[in-house]
Amino acid sequence: MKDKCGIVGIHSKDSSKDVSSYIYYGLHALQHRGQESAGIATYSDNGNGLKHYCGMGLVADVFKDNQIDELNGEVGIGHVRYSTTGQSKLESSQPFITTFDDFVIAIAHNGDIINSKHLRKELIDEGYEFISDTDSEVLCYLIKREYENSKTNDMVEILENISEILLGSYSLVILVNEDIYAMRDPAGMKPLVIAEKDDFYIVASETVAFDVMGANFIRDFEPGEIVYFKDNKINSHIVKKAKTCQKAHCMFEYVYFARPDSVIDGKTVYQVRLNIGKELYKEFPIDADVVMPVPDSSIPAAIGYSRASGIPYGEGLIKNRYVGRTFIMPTQEERELAVKLKMNPLVSELKDKKIVLIDDSIVRGTTSESLIEILKEAGAKEIHLMIGCPPVIAPCYYGVAMASKDELVAANNTVDEIKEKLGVDSLGYISLDALIDSIGISSEDLCLGCVNEDYPTEIPKDLEVETYYKF
Ligand code: AMP
């Protein structure tokens, strides 16, 4: 099981200031990055040491009533975990904790260490006993091993050395007693940002976590940057590997994963999605009555298409936002029921209308298939499906659990075949060039592996991929 997710870390400059409630609110803002479990670890110098609590489910369900007050501390980290078809269990929730000598260590991780299977085996052979199947536990023991081998307790040196052997994507926040270290992988695949508020330094996966706290954004982490807050200031170190490593920011953060109101590597996600809609209109100018999104992730792109075309924006599918995770349904009938539970058609807006339907991406194609069926039943006259991501033809190995190649509809069918399968009047995927223009970052600095199979790292042969959990 891998670790996708959202992370937060807070350092208080004043030892009387508690960070736990800010971490809690930060995790709420990052809930879209993971709904399976949530956890917080804090440390207090006043004799209480480490406090830690994790639970399954949404942030609001995990931390009840006094739970947050009980987690008070001057430094702390938090984590929300993404759900995949992998086994879901409490032992895999984060932050992961370990202790050795005088150290108490807690780690929260977003990304996939793609050589973790190999590293885990190496550590097991050396006598380390694992209690979870997370990359975070591997990282904890790598730190311990490095501390023992290199006879240093300089955490920057330890992380620098570990970065030499890690392969894959990782944004990390690490609590080491009363200090916080945060690190972004040398290709900068996953986002990581830093802010300041009064007596606090804050790091988080996305800037939306700062907005809720009223913190002032300072900057993105550089690829390969380690930041720590000794002497109440921002200290920075760039690992050697970053100098020889090409940047590879995840394209899919802009297309789907991040919140639209976040700013990642200088680009506002909402603006990128508006651009995607405009570019889709340039490439596929359809004459229609209405432009509709598949809510929520496709709303900005649909607005972009509507603005560029002058075709009115409308809603045809109403999302029930309170339906959480549903079980994988064994029969087609039950699967359709699950989709209908989440999306209800607005017949008055759909009947006899020519519709441009915008979706952010097609992965396996099952969602679009059910939605098109629903729209047709509601009486839509024509459906033109426009997709804000080029055909997903290859798995993601770096933390966006997509699907294996044989499950990816575009890996096994032409666009025309997919159009037939879905039964739409036309199907348009944004071109790769137009997507890159929409993001506004050079293609050389993006990871586009899922759409062009050009991965920024080597891929271990025995690596397994996961499918995300939906409906
Ligand atoms: P499907 O084609 O049925 O696999 O579903 C594609 C839809 O799921 C897209 O419209 C996205 O909104 C959403 N989606 C795409 N990738 C992911 C992912 N890794 N995790 C969760 N949802 C996703």
Side-chain angles (χ1 to χ4, degrees), residues 136-206:
S136 308
E137 190 172 5
V138 174
L139 286 163
C140 270
Y141 300 153
L142 286 175
I143 290 175
K144 184 173 178 193
R145 183 174 76 174
E146 194 55 39
Y147 160 73
E148 280 161 359
N149 289 352
S150 60
K151 306 260 177 293
T152 177
N153 54 10
D154 179 344
M155 198 49 64
V156 173
E157 196 181 323
I158 289 175
L159 292 173
E160 164 77 62
N161 293 346
I162 289 176
S163 75
E164 288 293 323
I165 56 167
L166 294 178
L167 203 58
S169 64
Y170 48 95
S171 280
L172 302 169
V173 282
I174 309 174
L175 187 71
V176 185
N177 300 346
E178 70 277 18
D179 292 312
I180 286 207
Y181 295 81
M183 179 178 191
R184 193 176 186 192
D185 67 66
M189 285 195 215
K190 298 290 158 190
L192 196 61
V193 278
I194 182 164
E196 189 171 13
K197 178 188 165 68
D198 310 326
D199 292 315
F200 302 109
Y201 284 120
I202 307 152
V203 295
S205 295
E206 290 182 38

Side-chain angles (χ1 to χ4, degrees), residues 82 252 256 297 359-361 363-367 400-401 468 470:
Y82 183 87
F252 211 64
Y256 169 76
S297 48
D359 203 355
D360 57 85
S361 57
V363 180
R364 294 159 304 187
T366 46
T367 309
V400 182
Y468 63 87
K470 196 154 191 188

